DNA sequence: ACCTGAACACCGTTCAAGT
DNA sequence: ACCTGAACACCGTTCAAGT
């Protein structure tokens, strides 16, 4: 691997196009990401195959390695994207509500709604496919940002005396556990015979009752 | 498949050995099951490979097909076994406690303890690997038996007026969601930095407070 | 009845080679 | 710089054949 390559940048060969539409794609990285999401939605996470993704994009099955370290990195990128839109969904849930209490409930509904409508993303995010952010610090940051939205909401409600004065982190982990449990059982189809919306509503009621301050 | 086989039980060929040690194993089915569990514990569910399992047992990689329909059936059998010991663990948790309330808490601890110490079984049982009991009615029965232990405990505590008079099934689904959420986050390593025992204790406290009857 | 061995259609990943 | 094609070491499953 001669390092002289680096300094030898030949002048742009034809005019000065931003991207010269080389080979098949302008932005293969983006295309790979989108195709992966599409496949996950259609066939689940284990249905994602580098060969199939490549073929569907009219590209060699090894072209991906120019843009991602390996298959795990592809999935991690999907998860990262998921965490960003997840956090937005949560924040929007809180923002649209009149009272802090209503905002809390709205956040719960938003949580499960995201898990159900983006179950492919959700599974990649929390299903243990990406090995808990170990390899991707950016992913870690995105994930804990979502957790922070929850902690903030709790702190605000503790300040008004509406929630118990427990360690907010501890309480946030509990709230997260509850919503995660409900979401997982629903998208895994384990709660069959039960209406998902009703399930969430009941859970939020009972959850809330368990953490409010005694008047 | 001639049904005459059933009535034609030939006399034991040499003395009266329980199993005549044919080929490599007396009970290959059992051996396959145990090897699968061992592999799952060591390398996770996706580490289970029919070829490797066979090789480790000194048997061809296709020998398994005499005893299980396919790989999914093997995992389903592991799950079924898991459900049985799971139910026992739950029941034992309730039985060992003095009061009904203490029994309830004990059951929660037993739930998460099982998930943590048998995380391989737990993941196969609830991780969506066996496609929610669809193919195995026996598995379905085993799973709902475990759920019934929970429903029974709830009904008993509703009778004494200790728990709210909600639909016991609905309440059981909620309690299950909470414990499942806590268990999953713990065994997925998502709750890092938190003591698992403390996490469970806090969860049970808050959970309980949310479903007790108002005095 | 129980197991084998070769074969088939898949995987992810590497690497020399093309443009 | 970006992509290809052949190759490697893996999969699960089928099926004719052995004992």
């Amino acid at each position: 691997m001669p390092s002289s390559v680096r300094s030898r940048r030949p002048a742009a060969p034809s005019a000065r196009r931003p991207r010269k539409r080389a080979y098949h794609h302008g932005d293969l990285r983006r295309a790979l990401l989108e195709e992966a999401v599409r496949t996950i939605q259609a066939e689940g996470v284990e249905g994602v195959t580098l060969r199939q993704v490549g073929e569907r994009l009219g590209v060699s099955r090894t072209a991906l390695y120019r843009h991602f370290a390996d298959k795990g990195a592809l999935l991690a990128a999907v998860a990262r994207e998921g965490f960003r839109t997840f956090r937005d969904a949560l924040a929007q849930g809180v923002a649209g509500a009149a009272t802090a209490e209503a905002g809390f409930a709205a956040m719960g509904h938003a949580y499960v709604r995201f898990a159900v409508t983006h179950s492919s993303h959700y599974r990649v995010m929390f299903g243990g496919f990406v090995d808990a952010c170990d390899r991707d610090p950016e992913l870690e940051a995105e994930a804990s940002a979502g957790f922070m939205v929850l902690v903030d909401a709790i702190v605000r409600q503790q300040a008004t005396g509406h929630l118990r004065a427990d360690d907010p982190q501890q309480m946030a982990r509990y709230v997260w556990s509850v919503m995660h449990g409900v979401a997982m059982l629903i998208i895994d189809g384990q709660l069959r015979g039960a209406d998902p919306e009703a399930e969430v509503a009941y859970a939020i009621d009972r959850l809330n009752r368990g953490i409010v301050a005694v008047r």
Side-chain angles (χ1 to χ4, degrees), chain A:
Chain A
M1 61 282 293
S3 63
S4 63
V5 167
R6 270 177 123 222
S7 52
R8 290 219 42 201
R9 238 241 228 102
S14 61
R16 199 177 158 270
R17 296 263 184 75
R19 263 189 203 97
K20 74 179 184 99
R21 195 178 293 249
Y23 288 79
H24 294 83
H25 291 89
D27 194 349
L28 183 55
R29 197 196 130 88
R30 181 87 232 136
L32 287 163
L33 218 43
E34 284 169 7
E35 185 57 42
V37 172
R38 229 172 292 139
T39 307
I40 295 174
Q41 255 150 7
E43 309 167 39
V45 186
E46 27 273 328
V48 177
T49 258
L50 299 193
R51 297 161 116 91
Q52 206 182 98
V53 167
E55 195 181 358
R56 267 194 252 224
L57 257 36
V59 116
S60 148
R61 47 189 178 268
T62 58
L64 172 139
Y65 288 93
R66 283 295 125 197
H67 302 277
F68 298 96
D70 54 12
K71 189 182 180 181
L74 211 208
L75 292 180
V78 171
R80 210 169 60 210
E81 198 182 61
F83 275 118
R84 204 161 31 225
T85 79
F86 184 45
R87 176 171 40 117
D88 289 352
L90 289 189
Q92 214 165 342
V94 202
T99 69
E101 197 180 348
F104 207 65
M107 203 162 91
H109 275 101
Y111 187 110
V112 178
R113 202 174 307 122
F114 176 91
V116 171
T117 60
H118 299 79
S119 63
S120 20
H121 274 111
Y122 192 83
R123 246 186 258 275
V124 179
M125 287 157 62
F126 298 113
F129 293 100
V130 289
D131 241 311
C133 323
D134 278 346
R135 47 222 292 195
D136 192 339
E138 229 184 302
L139 178 56
E140 161 103 40
E142 214 75 61
S144 61
F147 188 69
M148 277 313 159
V149 174
L150 175 58
V151 175
D152 286 351
I154 286 174
V155 169
R156 270 200 306 279
Q157 289 217 68
Q158 285 179 328
T160 66
H162 186 256
L163 287 187
R164 302 173 110 249
D166 297 352
D167 172 17
Q169 300 267 344
Q170 169 86 78
M171 190 179 276
R173 283 196 301 269
Y174 172 63
V175 173
W176 181 25
S177 297
V178 176
M179 298 324 292
H180 182 62
V182 174
M184 281 304 260
L185 290 183
I186 288 178
I187 69 181
D188 275 347
Q190 307 262 22
L191 256 38
R192 66 180 157 294
D195 171 36
E197 267 314 308
E199 219 57 36
V200 179
Y202 182 84
I204 291 176
D205 272 2
R206 294 304 101 221
L207 166 60
N208 198 54
R209 172 87 145 66
I211 59 177
V212 293
V214 275
R215 311 115 200 274

